[in-house]
Amino acid sequence: MTTFAARLQSTLFQGAPHDKLKGLVLGPGPAGRCDDAKVGIGIPRWDEKSQQWMLWYYCRDQNFTREAPPTLGSGSIASATSPDGVTWQRMPGLGRGGAIVEPSTSRDDFDSLHVGLTDVTVHDGRYFMWTFGGNFRTTDTKLGTLPGLAMRPGLIVSDDGVTWSRVYGAAAHGAMADIPHGKLYCAWPNALHADGKIYLYTSCTDPNFRRWDTLIQVSSDGARSWTAPQPLQWLDSSPGYGGAGELTRSMIPNPLNTGHRWLMAYTALEGPGPRFHRRSIALAVSHDAIVWLRLYDQPVFEIEDESAWDGGGVAAPHLRKVGDEWRLYYYGFPKAEFENTLPKGVGLAIATAPDLSNFRRIAAS
């Protein structure tokens, strides 16, 4: 199988033009797989134990008939491996269609309808998968009355990155955190391990999708209990590209000479505006992982071609250093009018160290 053929195996998108797939490294899989319809956010990591790249991602298959929100791609979670972090081989899980995590079989659990993830962290040799999900409870929103949108964050742990066990939290329906009053959901979690604590970041919005904000909770006992949520704070005012808030983010030790301890890559939502907010990726730095300063006046990565597979938005960034290059793995999706011909999936763009202001998508073939 050629490098490009491995990226997009679904029969749904075999006619997609190659020049519209620049940046794509993993799209929907072959028929019968749990990911043969949609591939969502992917979390890449070089795994020291197995000496290979691992990728965990959420997905949905063509036979996913549950009434989960159609705009989401979350359904189950799958994995892939790679020798180079570019060409990926899907791994067979024990779940339906090769999934490694499926919705809970207990209808009352927070993730009994659909499940996804936005982060995998490793601490003291243990893998922490930070998930989100929704159950069959319906919610009135601007999109209509839908089940599965009252999403909450969860945690699944593993000793090898392959076999996973749910951790039931103290929040409602076994989640790690509850939905704040007046908000639609508390989802898209990311985590940071520092100074013996876990910092948990989640996104919330109102039922009218006007703005997204990040909440931070801290655990000092290994995710058994959490502090009350507090908002992520900014030292500078919101630029236009981030006027509607931030949605997903990931944090790493700051490699830049700015004097700050942490570097965050995050999804910025342009606003104010209509329900759909243009998504781009920006960077920020912080001393304490709570108060942040935007690094540049502009995003470091954004939509390039609105008729391409990622012309609807780029989001959920994860930065990885490989040799002299910085890799930006991201989630891309097409504009609504191209959803039947172009895939959603995991993308990759590269910048040359130490300049993180200009990422370029990898070639389509």
Side-chain angles (χ1 to χ4, degrees), residues 108-111 114-116 131-135 137 148-155 171-180 184-189 202:
D108 189 58
D109 285 353
F110 75 95
D111 57 355
H114 66 99
V115 64
T131 68
F132 66 91
N135 59 21
R137 169 192 165 191
L149 272 179
M151 297 183 291
R152 292 175 170 85
L155 174 60
H173 309 287
M176 287 290 116
D178 284 315
I179 302 172
L184 176 61
Y185 57 63
C186 176
W188 317 109
T202 55

Side-chain angles (χ1 to χ4, degrees), residues 176-225:
M176 287 290 116
D178 284 315
I179 302 172
H181 177 71
K183 298 300 183 181
L184 176 61
Y185 57 63
C186 176
W188 317 109
N190 296 90
L192 174 66
H193 301 261
D195 306 322
K197 301 175 182 179
I198 303 175
Y199 292 74
L200 178 64
Y201 302 76
T202 55
S203 298
C204 60
T205 190
D206 62 273
N208 291 316
F209 304 95
R210 287 172 296 200
R211 179 178 174 82
W212 283 257
D213 291 300
T214 296
L215 297 179
I216 305 172
Q217 295 173 260
V218 182
S219 175
S220 300
D221 57 10
R224 287 184 291 273
S225 63

Side-chain angles (χ1 to χ4, degrees), residues 344-358:
K344 300 177 180 180
V346 179
L348 173 59
I350 294 175
T352 303
D355 183 12
L356 296 183
S357 63
N358 185 22

Side-chain angles (χ1 to χ4, degrees), residues 241-295:
Y241 67 80
E246 64 283 336
L247 184 55
T248 46
R249 72 259 93 201
S250 63
M251 291 70 58
I252 61 172
N254 183 20
L256 306 176
N257 188 26
T258 66
H260 299 81
R261 184 179 181 185
W262 304 108
L263 174 68
M264 174 174 68
Y266 68 97
T267 305
L269 293 111
E270 185 176 324
R275 183 187 66 81
F276 177 81
H277 299 270
R278 184 181 179 94
R279 290 159 171 78
S280 59
I281 293 171
L283 301 179
V285 290
S286 174
H287 294 294
D288 61 3
I290 294 174
V291 181
W292 294 84
L293 175 69
R294 293 174 178 87
L295 194 56

Side-chain angles (χ1 to χ4, degrees), residues 22-24 241 265-268 278-283 296 298-305 309-311 313-319 326-333 346-351 356-362:
K22 187 166 66 169
L24 181 70
Y241 67 80
Y266 68 97
T267 305
R278 184 181 179 94
R279 290 159 171 78
S280 59
I281 293 171
L283 301 179
Y296 303 113
Q298 298 293 329
V300 298
F301 189 67
E302 51 192 325
I303 296 170
E304 182 179 73
D305 177 0
W309 75 276
D310 57 358
V314 293
H318 285 268
L319 285 171
W326 278 97
R327 294 183 178 182
L328 177 67
Y329 291 89
Y330 67 96
Y331 167 59
F333 58 92
V346 179
L348 173 59
I350 294 175
L356 296 183
S357 63
N358 185 22
F359 284 89
R360 298 183 179 276
R361 291 163 175 81
I362 66 167

